[in-house]
Amino acid sequence: MTRVHRNDKRERLVDAADVLIYQQSFHNTTLADIAKLAEVPLGNVYYYFKTKSDIIVAVLSKRAHDLQTLFEQLSQASTPEARLAGFVEFFSNNENIARFGCQFGSLCQELSKQPEHQDIAKQAAQLLSTLIQWIEQQFKAMNQSEPTAKQNAELFFSKIQGLCLLSLIFHDPKLLARESASLSTWVADFA
Amino acid sequence: MTRVHRNDKRERLVDAADVLIYQQSFHNTTLADIAKLAEVPLGNVYYYFKTKSDIIVAVLSKRAHDLQTLFEQLSQASTPEARLAGFVEFFSNNENIARFGCQFGSLCQELSKQPEHQDIAKQAAQLLSTLIQWIEQQFKAMNQSEPTAKQNAELFFSKIQGLCLLSLIFHDPKLLARESASLSTWVADFA
Amino acid sequence: MTRVHRNDKRERLVDAADVLIYQQSFHNTTLADIAKLAEVPLGNVYYYFKTKSDIIVAVLSKRAHDLQTLFEQLSQASTPEARLAGFVEFFSNNENIARFGCQFGSLCQELSKQPEHQDIAKQAAQLLSTLIQWIEQQFKAMNQSEPTAKQNAELFFSKIQGLCLLSLIFHDPKLLARESASLSTWVADFA
Amino acid sequence: MTRVHRNDKRERLVDAADVLIYQQSFHNTTLADIAKLAEVPLGNVYYYFKTKSDIIVAVLSKRAHDLQTLFEQLSQASTPEARLAGFVEFFSNNENIARFGCQFGSLCQELSKQPEHQDIAKQAAQLLSTLIQWIEQQFKAMNQSEPTAKQNAELFFSKIQGLCLLSLIFHDPKLLARESASLSTWVADFA
DNA sequence: CATGAATGAGCATTCATTCAT
DNA sequence: TATGAATGAATGCTCATTCAT
């Protein structure tokens, strides 16, 4: 299957880029890095992606897809409170956070400061919007009204981002672990 | 005074680096950019700073100094609650946040992802520690005990960072403006 | 018919190369460009042409053939003067000249400056010789003797080339349109 | 003199680019070629010219300057006919024409076919305009009226270009040498 | 102290050509 | 025959850092 072969390499490149961009940031990740990790000859990268920017777009698509998978998993919890608790755990139970931060937040921040990549920055921000909308849905399922649910969703996610950021900066997962419990409590108090 | 002249150029370089690193990030800021904005010949930069890294160290020193100035201003408020409210306002009343984010958080995050700059990253993180310690002192002044005060300080600052980050990502200051009020309320509830 | 299919693809490739080389020059035309315009898979190009140079050789053959067709058409005119007038009109009545120049002259010039393509340059120059010889025949038909007819033919064609070149450079067909009439007059004066 | 040193290298680069672009065309000339001929380290080229396009712009300036020098030399002839004869000789008495063509015409033609370099193409065409205007002035000095003088200038220059082009294509200076005499005769007939 | 200039390693990207099936 | 994919040498360009004066 030629098809499979092709998809395999392309997928390996996106996976490699995903990991490296997460660990080293977009700017610090060279195409040579990505090609090497994916075990693809450098020249061949351009068969799959016309520019470096195209790779990050593919990474964003992959992350969007991964996010949907996460939402599906979380949807197995019976109550919105439980789903949000699961969402928090996705961060607090991840030792990479204290080493590389939140994959969504850190990329968005980096791109926000690159005027020449505003188009990608918007796509990355869109990912966050999707995320916040999912949270909002949970709050609505808890009978919160329109504006309140959205505002609480933004606040909820901003709290997680703040905790992830401090965890990264101090390379210390304790803060995130400690406060994630209170986050769930905060949610439960709405009920 | 040769001395004065020297300090002037050095200061201009640090000021320029401070601004550019805030707006464009460290990686996107070239020494040529800094030299140009400071109106200092490129070759002359190396008389004051042996490497690019040295400049960022100087920027961190400047920011630490600026922070002390902020603390002095805030100390004029009579109560710790008022001081913390002033601290929050320092962020919420700053239109640059929605364009460039928090100068402390964004730099720390960027450096955290550069293995070759871990020494600087630590210095930048130290700045955040200083900041959190100041917050902790306010909580202590509100009669909170040792571990609680520190934990509340971390939480307090992480909330601000989360709000700053979302403001930047969506280029929208509204969330920060809205939630800063509730932050002060949260503080007041401790009293 | 495999045969027919093969010829079709080959012909499409040559046609595409002919157009693109005329419009973009040889150097600016990639094999991918040609393959795309001809709607032939890139990898398949090499079944018909071993190298990029082989394509241009085929293009030259095609142009030589097109030239014979032109000569046949012109031969329907009853006098050599009329034939030469028709030849001039072939250039002056062609709006592409002011956009892309003379297909023969511009390619020859480009190849003349590429030491590694001297073999092709010679073939391209041969095309021009053929052309000049046809003109020479017309002058002979006007009872001009051997050296005179050849010299007039060279001069005649050089005038056309000069006009085509200026038309291209200034993207203005007026000069060519204006002077083409005097060219025919110049020819008629020989009679 | 630092100044002189700088000008020297810059001048060497422009001179090298001038020669190489004339001999190999713009597209075939790499920055490495230019740097090597000028004996300047490749990385240093960018201190003087931000992009490859900037080099060709400098070459065009140099050629414009050289042209003025030529005009000054020709102005020493007492009559416009003599000046135009001198101009023709500038081409006919130049063995490089049969090897590399006309430096003005060939560059203009090459750039005309590169959509991404239309700005430079216009500057190159401007050089030709200057040239034609000078010729026009000579015709006016021969008491030719406004439109006639300009048209004759265009025709005069287009004849030269046609001869240069054929000389290049056939690598044979004879045509140019032979017909340059008749060009001067053609001019003289106006008197 | 000052500074215009020099240096070279590194990066994204292109493209003719080849390969495996 | 056909073709998607692979390859690697080459090219324009960047930039921190160093040098000569």
Side-chain angles (χ1 to χ4, degrees), chain D residues 69-88:
Chain D
T69 305
L70 174 66
F71 291 158
E72 285 171 20
Q73 290 177 352
L74 296 176
S75 71
Q76 296 177 346
S78 51
T79 66
E81 291 90 338
R83 273 171 241 142
L84 288 172
F87 185 77
V88 170

Side-chain angles (χ1 to χ4, degrees), chain D residues 161-180:
Chain D
Q161 287 298 307
L163 294 171
C164 287
L165 185 54
L166 288 205
S167 292
L168 166 64
I169 291 173
F170 296 116
H171 293 301
D172 179 2
K174 283 197 286 284
L175 174 68
L176 181 55
R178 187 215 312 157
E179 296 299 338
S180 60

Side-chain angles (χ1 to χ4, degrees), chain A residues 22 28 109 113 154 178, chain B residues 22 27 109 113 154 178:
Chain A
Y22 177 44
N28 288 309
Q109 188 187 66
K113 297 216 175 184
E154 290 171 348
R178 186 216 311 158
Chain B
Y22 177 43
H27 204 141
Q109 188 188 67
K113 298 218 174 184
E154 290 171 346
R178 187 216 312 158

Side-chain angles (χ1 to χ4, degrees), chain D residues 15-82:
Chain D
D15 286 350
D18 187 24
V19 169
L20 291 173
I21 289 173
Y22 177 43
Q23 297 183 348
Q24 310 178 345
S25 83
F26 178 57
H27 204 142
N28 288 308
T29 300
T30 67
L31 284 171
D33 287 340
I34 297 171
K36 189 178 179 185
L37 182 60
E39 294 183 285
V40 170
L42 179 57
N44 198 12
V45 172
Y46 286 86
Y47 180 75
Y48 298 98
F49 302 99
K50 291 218 181 292
T51 68
K52 190 185 177 189
S53 293
D54 283 354
I55 295 188
I56 203 174
V57 169
V59 168
L60 288 175
S61 291
K62 175 188 182 293
R63 290 189 183 179
H65 186 265
D66 291 351
L67 212 49
Q68 292 305 321
T69 305
L70 174 66
F71 291 158
E72 285 171 20
Q73 290 177 352
L74 296 176
S75 71
Q76 296 177 346
S78 51
T79 66
E81 291 90 338

Side-chain angles (χ1 to χ4, degrees), chain A residues 21-72:
Chain A
I21 289 173
Y22 177 44
Q23 295 183 350
Q24 309 177 347
S25 82
F26 178 57
H27 204 141
N28 288 309
T29 300
T30 69
L31 284 172
D33 287 341
I34 296 171
K36 189 178 178 184
L37 181 60
E39 292 183 287
V40 170
L42 179 54
N44 199 11
V45 172
Y46 285 86
Y47 180 77
Y48 298 97
F49 302 99
K50 291 216 179 297
T51 67
K52 190 184 177 189
S53 292
D54 282 353
I55 295 188
I56 203 174
V57 169
V59 168
L60 289 175
S61 292
K62 176 188 182 291
R63 291 190 183 178
H65 186 263
D66 291 349
L67 212 48
Q68 292 305 321
T69 305
L70 173 66
F71 291 158
E72 284 171 22

